[in-house]
């Protein structure tokens, strides 16, 4: 990063932001997943630093933003306001919007609210935050990872396992740190164990750390409980607002966290979008096939202003 800072957005939240690459280059906004996942230096690598002015920030309650795991004053509408505040602060008129998983959700929501500010979209591991997708995450992954789901469920009393989301919300939003930290580790380990086509021990270990799990556990549950503060299937219903803009969708064929049906539905609704289904990949951005296709997309946009 050649420039970075902390931006106070209200009485509770302060956001970490950074710029890297070419200060005079084409602006691109990176939106991380989760919610609550935060950014890392690895996320800069999807973009040619000689061409792009790369803007990254940690969303409310995530990464280096403070307070970590804070779910109060944390809604999709407020995150969209934060994006606009950062854009105006940096004097950017328009940018390419890049987001994966929850980052794809936020990218779509932002684009539909501010289409004139968007040059196009690079989206990965599509999550539309519908009731079916939330239920799949909490319960459906049992079909592919029964032993992982069993451990996730057994972390709460048997009497509460009929509604695992509510059971975890009760603990994640408890005032006692020992209770909410344990719940966050259990939630985050559950997701981390299912990220890759072939589970990665290091990824699971990272997701179990307090630095990652508190943001992931609390904020994912918060947004899932509240349907991301959107109407059901809002992002597909409003796709006409950005249908004129170029978009590429990169999806792992064996993505268990965000199954390919969501990417396919989005592609069908978004006439002109490009869908790349990666045959040997799960959910994670750093699956080799997914990372390669994401870089190819940003290179195409660099050269052509569209996706081929």
């Amino acid at each position: 990063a050649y420039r970075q800072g902390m931006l106070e957005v209200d009485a509770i939240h302060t956001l970490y932001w950074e710029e890297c690459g070419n200060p005079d280059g084409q602006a691109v906004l990176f939106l991380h997943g989760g919610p609550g996942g935060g950014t890392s230096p690895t996320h800069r690598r999807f973009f040619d630093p000689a061409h792009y002015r790369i803007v990254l920030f940690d969303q409310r309650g995530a990464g280096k933003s403070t307070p970590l795991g804070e779910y109060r004053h944390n809604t999709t509408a407020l995150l969209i306001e934060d994006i606009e505040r950062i854009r105006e602060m940096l004097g950017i008129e328009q940018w390419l919007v890049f987001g994966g998983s929850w980052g794809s959700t936020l990218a779509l929501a932002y684009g539909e609210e501010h289409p004139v500010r968007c040059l196009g979209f690079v989206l990965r591991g599509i999550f539309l935050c519908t009731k079916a997708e939330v239920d799949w995450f909490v319960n459906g992954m049992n079909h592919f990872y029964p032993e992982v789901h069993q451990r996730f469920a057994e972390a709460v009393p048997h009497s509460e396992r009929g509604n695992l989301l509510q059971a975890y919300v009760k603990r994640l939003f408890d005032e006692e740190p020992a209770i909410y930290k344990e719940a966050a580790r259990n939630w985050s380990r559950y997701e981390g164990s299912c990220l890759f086509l072939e589970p990665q021990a290091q990824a699971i270990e990272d997701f179990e750390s307090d630095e990652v799990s508190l943001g992931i556990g609390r904020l994912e549950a918060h947004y899932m409980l509240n349907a991301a503060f959107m109407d059901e299937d809002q992002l597909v219903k409003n796709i006409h607002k950005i249908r004129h803009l170029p978009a590429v969708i990169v999806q792992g064929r064996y993505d268990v966290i965000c199954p390919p049906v969501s990417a396919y539905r989005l592609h069908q609704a978004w006439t002109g979008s490009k869908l790349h289904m990666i045959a040997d990949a799960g959910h994670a951005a750093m699956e080799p096939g997914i990372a390669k296709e994401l870089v190819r997309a940003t290179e195409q946009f660099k050269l052509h202003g569209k996706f081929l």
Side-chain angles (χ1 to χ4, degrees):
Y2 60 78
R3 190 156 69 128
Q4 55 196 285
M6 300 294 292
L7 175 64
E8 186 176 314
V9 291
D10 65 16
I12 296 177
H13 293 277
T14 301
L15 308 183
Y16 170 79
W17 61 271
E18 67 178 37
E19 287 187 277
C20 51
N22 181 353
D24 300 313
Q26 185 172 65
V28 59
L29 171 67
F30 177 90
L31 296 174
H32 67 70
T39 60
S40 76
T42 300
H43 295 144
R44 306 167 186 163
R45 297 174 58 197
F46 295 111
F47 316 98
D48 178 359
H51 177 80
Y52 284 105
R53 178 184 179 185
I54 310 158
V55 179
L56 306 92
F57 79 102
D58 290 333
Q59 297 157 29
R60 296 184 183 215
K64 296 178 184 176
S65 293
T66 59
L68 178 64
E70 180 56 70
Y71 55 90
R72 295 173 298 167
H73 292 198
N74 202 330
T75 67
T76 303
L78 288 171
L79 297 185
I80 290 171
E81 289 180 14
D82 293 343
I83 293 171
E84 277 295 273
R85 190 178 280 113
I86 291 170
R87 184 190 61 76
E88 292 170 357
M89 177 186 72
L90 299 178
I92 294 170
E93 285 295 314
Q94 293 180 300
W95 45 14
L96 176 66
V97 181
F98 182 112
S101 195
W102 163 257
S104 74
T105 321
L106 184 56
L108 291 166
Y110 170 74
E112 291 174 359
E113 188 70 24
H114 298 283
V116 73
R117 299 303 176 189
C118 303
L119 296 169
F121 299 85
V122 179
L123 306 174
R124 185 266 313 166
I126 301 302
F127 181 63
L128 303 171
C129 209
T130 61
K131 292 176 183 177
E133 288 166 299
V134 171
D135 181 67
W136 173 265
F137 180 88
V138 177
N139 301 301
M141 291 199 297
N142 174 60
H143 292 288
F144 286 86
Y145 288 90
E147 74 287 4
V148 174
H149 188 271
Q150 181 179 352
R151 186 176 182 183
F152 176 63
E154 287 179 345
V156 302
H158 192 276
S159 60
E160 297 182 52
R161 293 177 197 168
N163 191 332
L164 285 173
L165 179 56
Q166 281 290 354
Y168 267 90
V169 163
K170 176 182 174 181
R171 288 156 180 80
L172 287 164
F173 301 159
D174 195 284
E175 294 183 359
E176 177 56 49
I179 293 175
Y180 68 68
K181 286 184 178 181
E182 181 183 8
R185 278 193 296 272
N186 290 331
W187 179 289
S188 192
R189 178 179 58 243
Y190 171 58
E191 179 174 349
S193 300
C194 306
L195 278 175
F196 286 84
L197 182 61
E198 296 184 7
Q200 306 287 320
Q202 186 60 54
I204 298 171
E205 184 177 327
D206 291 343
F207 267 62
E208 286 181 316
S209 68
D210 286 344
E211 295 79 13
V212 175
S213 66
L214 192 57
I216 288 283
R218 275 189 149 184
L219 296 185
E220 287 188 352
H222 169 65
Y223 275 84
M224 288 183 183
L225 180 68
N226 292 287
F229 304 91
M230 298 186 296
D231 295 333
E232 177 69 2
D233 214 21
Q234 175 180 317
L235 298 177
V236 170
K237 290 176 181 176
N238 289 340
I239 202 67
H240 62 276
K241 297 181 178 181
I242 53 175
R243 192 179 279 127
H244 62 288
L245 294 169
V248 63
I249 301 165
V250 181
Q251 178 71 38
R253 171 65 72 187
Y254 299 104
D255 186 339
V256 173
I257 293 175
C258 297
V261 64
S262 296
Y264 192 69
R265 285 187 64 237
L266 179 64
H267 171 58
Q268 286 186 308
W270 199 335
T271 309
S273 65
K274 306 293 183 181
L275 173 61
H276 298 286
M277 198 72 73
I278 309 304
D280 57 350
H283 181 69
M286 296 314 293
E287 294 266 17
I290 290 178
K292 180 179 180 180
E293 198 62 47
L294 291 172
V295 170
R296 193 165 80 95
T298 62
E299 285 292 286
Q300 286 179 351
F301 198 82
K302 176 183 79 174
L303 296 172
H304 308 289
K306 60 181 181 179
F307 307 106
L308 306 179

